[in-house]
Amino acid sequence: MNLQSVTKMDLRRLILVLTLASALISLANTLYASYQVQRQQLIDATLESNHAYATKLAASTDDFFASAMQQLGYGAKVMAKDFSDRHFLNAEAERLLLQTDSFNSIVIIDGKGEVLSTSPQSLNLVGQVLETPGAMASITSRKPVISEPYISAVGNLIIFISHPVFDARGRYLGAISGSIYLKRKSILNRLLGSHYYEDGSYLYVVDQKRRLIYHPVVDRVGTTVAGNTVIDDVIAGIAGKKQVQNSMGTEMLAGYSIIPATGWGIVAQRPKSATLASLDTLTLGVLKNSLPVMAISLLIILWCARMISKPLKQLANGARTMDNPLTAQQIQGVKSWYFESAELKKAMLLGIGLLQKNIHKLRQDVQTDPLTGLGNRRTLEQCLQNWEQDETPFSVISVDVDFFKLINDSYGHDAGDLVLKKLAQHMRDCARADDVFCRVGGEEFLILLPKADQQEALQVAQRLRQQIEHADMSPVGRVTISLGIASWPASSHDVAQVLKQADQMLYLAKRNGRNRVEMG
């Protein structure tokens, strides 16, 4: 007795320890999973935001280049009318510089690269022949050109945007170009420099040679960047987003896109630490707010541990009285509020259900022909009794296989059994959903058709006869059947007499040549 008491106490303590451990582990797992999910969401959101911003800024920059080229193109058409008039060229250069703030300077050159006019004139380039990369690219291609960054004739790091000038007969006269200074204030600097945050976020622009076109640290403009996978993607013309280390070794969340007009890459990035800075504080806040609920939960767990024995005892009592018809109802009433007892309850109910199912199966086996799966005489008697009590009219089709003894003698009883099985299946196929099929003898069958008159029964019988006549009954080959029909109460008010009359019609069909249906 004492040993049993100790065992019960140990089980209770074990359940209590496991429950408490489960609760604590679940809480820790929830906090960890929540932290990881929110962390990844913050990273993904920042990457997507930077990618969207870089894409938008790339589109805006591309629009700026298109607008700048359009301005130069219009100026080229105007200057082509009188390209030899220096005063006219000076006026046009001044107009292009002052009309918008697209350029830091305007330079007009002839077909050999000689400077014809500038704005501002303080550049002191008039009369000089430019051999800078931008000027040479413009003269050589005679097409609109956006140059790569280079040091200009007056020492500025610039990009050179130029448009050719052709006269009315299509002769190349020279080019008009606008310069944008990369290390001084310019519209490009303002366009790109608007992205700035105190948390360390910034953007930069890099060209196809890995040189920085724009960087918030001006001294880095014009320098070459290596060992950066984002820039590798940009060089390959790929836009996207990824985590990367910048040149200072800081983990950054970068989104990047390509400027179609130049092939430059715009990279917007934010320190990973800045993105996740608020997450630790948020997690601690969640834990702090969870403590009161956790304390209440532990009290509830203590109470639940004391209550575990109650449903177990009720289930044990039910197990001792499973032979009682009321046991299933008693077990159903047990309040199994935790998993183990609920599983035991379901198992016991399932066991009782299986027991009842087996009993039902035994009863069904008693009423079923084992060879064909059709009903036997018990099924026949039960259906007839129910229909007679309910005054449900019905018809009976008596079925017999023609020359069945010859089949058994010629092919063996196994072949005969196979014929009977196939006949049973054809009976199911030809009859209606509510019809009842019974095997009442060796090769004798009855089909009961509730609420069917003789004409409906005749249709079913003829359909079955024709189907059997043409069916493949291998290894026997073709077989035929004879059928007789009677109805209650049309043929007789005595059910036994109706069955007898169906048999008489069957014998009449055999006497009249077999493979027939007779109806009486």
Side-chain angles (χ1 to χ4, degrees), residues 37 202 212 384 425:
V37 169
Y202 65 93
L212 290 173
L384 294 177
Q425 184 58 50

Side-chain angles (χ1 to χ4, degrees), residues 394-396 452-454 457 485-492 498 501 520:
F394 62 89
S395 293
V396 180
D453 57 23
Q454 289 193 3
I485 299 174
S487 298
W488 183 86
S491 300
S492 173
V498 171
Q501 186 170 359

Side-chain angles (χ1 to χ4, degrees), residues 189-204:
N189 186 285
R190 293 195 300 275
L191 179 64
L192 300 174
S194 60
H195 181 97
Y196 177 78
Y197 297 102
E198 294 182 355
D199 62 3
S201 297
Y202 65 93
L203 67 81
Y204 63 88

Side-chain angles (χ1 to χ4, degrees), residues 13-220:
R13 289 172 182 172
L14 177 60
I15 292 174
L16 178 60
V17 170
L18 291 176
T19 306
L20 290 173
S22 177
L24 293 173
I25 292 173
S26 297
L27 177 61
N29 180 66
T30 300
L31 288 174
Y32 176 76
S34 175
Y35 178 87
Q36 292 297 325
V37 169
Q38 293 183 62
R39 180 179 183 274
Q40 192 60 46
Q41 286 180 339
L42 285 172
I43 291 174
D44 291 344
T46 301
L47 287 170
E48 184 60 36
S49 175
N50 285 342
H51 178 241
Y53 187 84
T55 301
K56 180 179 180 181
L57 200 56
S60 299
T61 306
D62 195 63
D63 290 341
F64 160 72
F65 283 127
S67 175
M69 193 64 74
Q70 186 177 18
Q71 294 176 44
L72 294 176
Y74 178 78
K77 289 181 180 180
V78 173
M79 294 178 189
K81 298 176 182 179
D82 195 357
F83 201 66
S84 60
D85 187 341
R86 296 297 180 91
H87 294 290
F88 177 63
L89 296 182
N90 290 337
E92 279 301 308
E94 191 75 11
R95 178 188 66 79
L96 281 171
L97 183 65
L98 299 178
Q99 185 177 10
T100 66
D101 58 353
S102 299
F103 308 105
N104 292 98
S105 64
I106 300 293
V107 177
I108 302 172
I109 60 176
D110 64 13
K112 296 180 180 180
E114 181 180 345
V115 177
L116 304 178
S117 178
T118 66
S119 181
Q121 296 183 4
S122 58
L123 295 175
N124 295 321
L125 294 176
V126 176
Q128 294 186 27
V129 176
L130 295 183
E131 295 181 353
T132 58
M136 297 307 296
S138 176
I139 295 170
T140 302
S141 66
R142 298 186 178 183
K143 295 179 179 179
V145 171
I146 300 176
S147 73
E148 297 177 354
Y150 67 93
I151 302 298
S152 70
V154 293
N156 292 313
L157 181 63
I158 68 170
I159 57 173
F160 195 74
I161 305 175
S162 65
H163 195 286
V165 180
F166 295 95
D167 64 13
R169 291 183 291 180
R171 293 180 302 176
Y172 179 68
L173 301 179
I176 179 172
S177 62
S179 300
I180 298 177
Y181 299 163
L182 298 181
K183 290 190 174 183
R184 296 171 57 183
K185 290 183 178 180
S186 66
I187 187 171
L188 188 60
N189 186 285
R190 293 195 300 275
L191 179 64
L192 300 174
S194 60
H195 181 97
Y196 177 78
Y197 297 102
E198 294 182 355
D199 62 3
S201 297
Y202 65 93
L203 67 81
Y204 63 88
V205 182
V206 63
D207 69 5
Q208 287 291 304
K209 293 185 177 180
R210 300 179 178 271
R211 288 178 300 184
L212 290 173
I213 304 299
Y214 169 80
H215 195 279
V217 179
V218 178
D219 291 341
R220 296 200 58 189

Side-chain angles (χ1 to χ4, degrees), residues 308 311-312 315 331-332 334-350:
I308 285 177
L312 290 177
L315 293 173
I331 292 176
Q332 189 67 45
V334 174
K335 295 181 179 179
S336 298
W337 50 271
Y338 61 93
F339 177 78
E340 288 80 5
S341 63
E343 290 299 302
L344 288 173
K345 175 181 175 180
K346 287 192 291 184
M348 292 183 68
L349 291 174
L350 180 62

Side-chain angles (χ1 to χ4, degrees), residues 394-400 427 430-431 435-438 440 444-449 452-454 456-465 481-487 498-499 502-503 506 516-518:
F394 62 89
S395 293
V396 180
I397 302 176
S398 182
V399 184
D400 187 86
M427 289 170 62
C430 291
D435 295 342
V436 179
F437 317 96
C438 300
V440 294
E444 297 177 8
F445 299 85
L446 287 179
I447 303 176
L448 307 179
L449 299 89
D453 57 23
Q454 289 193 3
E456 292 175 297
L458 178 61
Q459 293 177 3
V460 174
Q462 289 288 14
R463 186 163 58 246
L464 175 61
R465 182 191 66 78
I481 58 174
S482 297
L483 306 96
I485 299 174
S487 298
V498 171
L499 296 179
D503 282 340
L506 170 65
R516 292 174 56 85
V517 179
E518 295 292 347

